[in-house]
Amino acid sequence: MKNYQDIDYGPLEELIGTWKGNQGTDIAPGLKGVDNNSYYETIVFEEAGSVLNANEQKLAVLHYRQIVRMESNDEIFHDQTGYWHWDADQNILMHSFVIPRAVNVIAGGAYSGKTDENGRRVLEVQAKLADPHWGIVQSPFMSKKASCVEFHQTIIVGDRKMSYSQTSLIDIYGKMFEHTDENELFRK
Ligand code: HEM
């Protein structure tokens, strides 16, 4: 890890800081079918500096922690941590993260440079089970009973506002379930 000064985080730059949002909607698999949950959350992105891989690949890295609480009872019902990486030479974004169900994801994708109608940057990554590059690794129990087979995420960020939408495709209770989460957050 290097000194944090002068690191160019590229399209990740605007994520740095503390974000709060209370418009979250979660659609999750339940034993009786579909669970719909309203939630609020805090996500803190911090600089993690730059790394050099194999003396060649330079990554600018942010670390984050996401704590999600149920609107109805204020209990934490999702806790996630990981890194976002920017490879400027290859124009690649990576999002590697873990959730405490013993599921690890490394999602990635080319940075398109797209912006929305308000000029906010669009960041898109995806992962698939058994993909050798952008993949998903999970415990034997989760592989058997609640396997995450795909993950897609889009973040739109700019002007201290961020919205995200993500789909985790879960093979659970004998069928494929589109577990989706979305929220809009504001930076202090
Ligand atoms: C804001 C983000 C998320 C929220 C609020 C959330 C919430 C939930 C909820 C409420 C359930 C239903 C089971 C339970 O009662 O706990 C669930 C299940 C599950 N979630 Fe998430 N989740 C989120 C993100 C993710 C992500 C990113 C993944 C994986 C890439 C994931 C994987 C799973 C799996 C595999 C299950 C099935 C577990 C089971 O019911 O046995 N979730 N999630």
Side-chain angles (χ1 to χ4, degrees):
M1 289 288 177
K2 295 250 172 62
N3 187 326
Y4 290 1
Q5 281 161 6
D6 302 327
I7 293 173
D8 181 2
Y9 292 98
L12 302 179
E13 179 82 39
E14 298 200 51
L15 291 174
I16 299 167
T18 298
W19 297 82
K20 289 184 186 292
N22 57 11
Q23 299 295 315
T25 51
D26 167 67
I27 299 176
L31 247 187
K32 293 185 194 132
V34 180
D35 282 348
N36 282 280
N37 304 295
S38 298
Y39 64 83
Y40 62 97
E41 66 182 317
T42 302
I43 311 179
V44 180
F45 285 90
E46 290 174 331
E47 295 185 61
S50 68
V51 292
L52 187 63
N53 288 331
N55 210 31
E56 195 177 305
Q57 184 194 38
K58 194 174 169 202
L59 300 178
V61 189
L62 300 183
H63 175 257
Y64 74 90
R65 179 89 188 271
Q66 176 183 23
I67 301 284
V68 184
R69 289 176 192 268
M70 191 88 85
E71 195 177 87
S72 56
N73 60 13
D74 299 323
E75 278 179 12
I76 295 175
F77 77 132
H78 185 79
D79 179 344
Q80 183 176 317
T81 189
Y83 296 95
W84 276 85
H85 319 255
W86 167 236
D87 178 340
D89 291 340
Q90 297 295 318
N91 198 51
I92 289 173
L93 286 169
M94 295 177 251
H95 178 194
S96 53
F97 67 92
V98 295
I99 61 168
R101 299 179 187 277
V103 176
N104 295 14
V105 177
I106 176 158
Y111 173 54
S112 65
K114 262 194 306 196
T115 52
D116 75 354
E117 64 282 4
N118 298 311
R120 296 190 174 94
R121 291 175 191 275
V122 179
L123 317 179
E124 291 169 298
V125 291
Q126 58 84 31
K128 284 196 169 87
L129 189 66
D131 184 308
H133 302 300
W134 310 127
I136 299 162
V137 179
Q138 49 208 330
S139 69
F141 180 90
M142 293 305 277
S143 295
K144 195 169 163 203
K145 295 285 196 164
S147 177
C148 183
V149 299
E150 278 185 33
F151 174 77
H152 298 262
Q153 182 181 37
T154 301
I155 293 183
I156 300 176
V157 63
D159 294 336
R160 297 177 171 263
K161 185 176 163 189
M162 165 190 358
S163 51
Y164 71 80
S165 62
Q166 62 192 39
T167 301
S168 313
L169 189 60
I170 315 287
D171 185 354
I172 187 167
Y173 307 131
K175 56 175 194 276
M176 288 294 172
F177 188 96
E178 283 194 10
H179 175 20
T180 61
D181 293 284
E182 48 188 61
N183 201 1
E184 193 173 82
L185 297 93
F186 297 89
R187 198 175 60 206
K188 278 188 207 157

